[in-house]
Amino acid sequence: MEGKEEDVRLGANKFSERQPIGTAAQSDKDYKEPPPAPLFEPGELTSWSFYRAGIAEFMATFLFLYITILTVMGVVKSSSKCSTVGIQGIAWAFGGMIFALVYCTAGISGGHINPAVTFGLFLARKLSLTRALFYMVMQCLGAICGAGVVKGYQKGLYESNGGGANVVAPGYTKGDGLGAEIVGTFILVYTVFSATDAKRNARDSHVPILAPLPIGFAVFLVHLATIPITGTGINPARSLGAAIIYNKKHAWDDHWIFWVGPFIGAALAAIYHQIVIRAIPFKSRP
């Protein structure tokens, strides 16, 4: 009995009731900063896992465009929005698919499904330039194929209802659209960084399992806010795939916004997370 009381006493001293929060909670014992990814890694080109990850990105983006554009078509073709899932349903389709696909592909490719996310992670040195470019190409190809399959169902309906292409809505300026894309992508990429932070994973074992949930929810919320402005891009592959398959002049007039905006937003999120949130605190010398 005395031995058990001693164990309890030692345990209480080792794990105090009040645990420090944030960076103060971390120590060299439970976390070690991973080394930055090299800029170029030629060895990846001979690895099957490299190409498997690219295929996973292609398939995930294909499924993402297929479900989401099909949902958009179902809403816009109806004369009464009350008989459809409406804007909320579109937002749920985008957020829900991201949640499901990130969960499915995170262990294979990281579950980017978005060139802006890939770009932000590249700036943070989480992957090499070789892998980043390969991912972006596969994501764009997957998006084109996904939108193409939707158009194949009913070409006339697809073309008469905008094809799910992103454009700046009437009443808004190009600056409004650009700002909406920058802020929306910042929210998404910042959430990705926070949900997948290795330092948090070292402290909280449940974080990696729950990571797809906040990422998908961020996509859902951004869509609720910005569908009326730009149709919500925040994903250059999604915007490119829909624009190529729809291929009307007005879909290309504002297309640059859906590349420049997400890339700026992703860069700002990477800078904010790496330099401000993850900054190593200065230690005073004894």
Side-chain angles (χ1 to χ4, degrees), residues 15-254:
F15 302 103
S16 60
E17 183 177 355
R18 290 180 176 271
Q19 292 290 335
I21 300 173
T23 55
Q26 305 301 323
S27 68
D28 293 335
K29 294 181 180 180
D30 65 350
Y31 174 75
K32 188 174 183 180
E33 187 74 29
L39 186 60
F40 295 102
E41 196 167 359
E44 287 183 322
L45 300 176
T46 60
S47 170
W48 163 242
S49 63
F50 175 78
Y51 296 100
R52 181 182 63 183
I55 294 170
E57 288 292 313
F58 171 89
M59 185 56 67
T61 316
F62 168 82
L63 295 173
F64 178 61
L65 265 288
Y66 171 75
I67 293 296
T68 54
I69 299 299
L70 205 57
T71 304
V72 171
M73 291 298 98
V75 171
V76 299
K77 77 173 184 178
S78 177
S79 58
S80 173
K81 297 298 181 285
C82 294
S83 62
T84 68
V85 294
I87 288 180
Q88 293 86 352
I90 293 174
W92 273 121
F94 278 89
M97 281 303 290
I98 287 297
F99 167 70
L101 293 170
V102 170
Y103 181 84
C104 292
T105 60
I108 302 171
S109 65
H112 298 189
I113 322 170
N114 186 336
V117 171
T118 301
F119 180 66
L121 293 172
F122 165 71
L123 292 180
R125 302 293 301 276
K126 303 296 184 183
L127 72 164
S128 67
L129 178 61
T130 312
R131 185 175 291 265
L133 293 175
F134 182 52
Y135 277 15
M136 290 181 189
V137 170
M138 297 301 283
Q139 289 158 358
C140 290
L141 291 176
I144 294 169
C145 293
V149 170
V150 175
K151 182 178 181 179
Y153 285 150
Q154 286 184 306
K155 183 177 179 181
L157 176 66
Y158 181 88
E159 293 185 345
S160 63
N161 287 286
N166 290 118
V167 295
V168 177
Y172 294 95
T173 66
K174 294 184 187 295
D176 296 334
L178 182 62
E181 290 296 304
I182 291 173
V183 175
T185 311
F186 177 90
I187 294 170
L188 168 60
V189 178
Y190 176 46
T191 303
V192 170
F193 274 111
S194 299
T196 60
D197 192 340
K199 181 177 284 189
R200 294 185 66 194
N201 295 351
R203 183 177 70 246
D204 304 318
S205 60
H206 65 276
V207 168
I209 300 173
L210 296 179
L213 182 59
I215 295 171
F217 199 63
V219 172
F220 165 70
L221 293 175
V222 171
H223 275 75
L224 280 183
T226 61
I227 282 177
I229 304 173
T230 61
T232 309
I234 67 171
N235 184 335
R238 173 260 187 272
S239 301
L240 179 66
I244 287 178
I245 299 302
Y246 182 56
N247 200 28
K248 303 292 183 183
K249 182 181 181 300
H250 68 275
W252 292 110
D253 289 341
D254 302 330

Side-chain angles (χ1 to χ4, degrees), residues 237-284:
R238 173 260 187 272
S239 301
L240 179 66
I244 287 178
I245 299 302
Y246 182 56
N247 200 28
K248 303 292 183 183
K249 182 181 181 300
H250 68 275
W252 292 110
D253 289 341
D254 302 330
H255 187 68
W256 64 271
I257 291 172
F258 303 100
W259 283 86
V260 175
F263 273 53
I264 292 176
L268 292 175
I271 292 169
Y272 176 66
H273 186 266
Q274 294 297 109
I275 296 179
V276 179
I277 301 300
R278 289 293 309 280
I280 300 175
F282 292 99
K283 295 181 180 180
S284 59

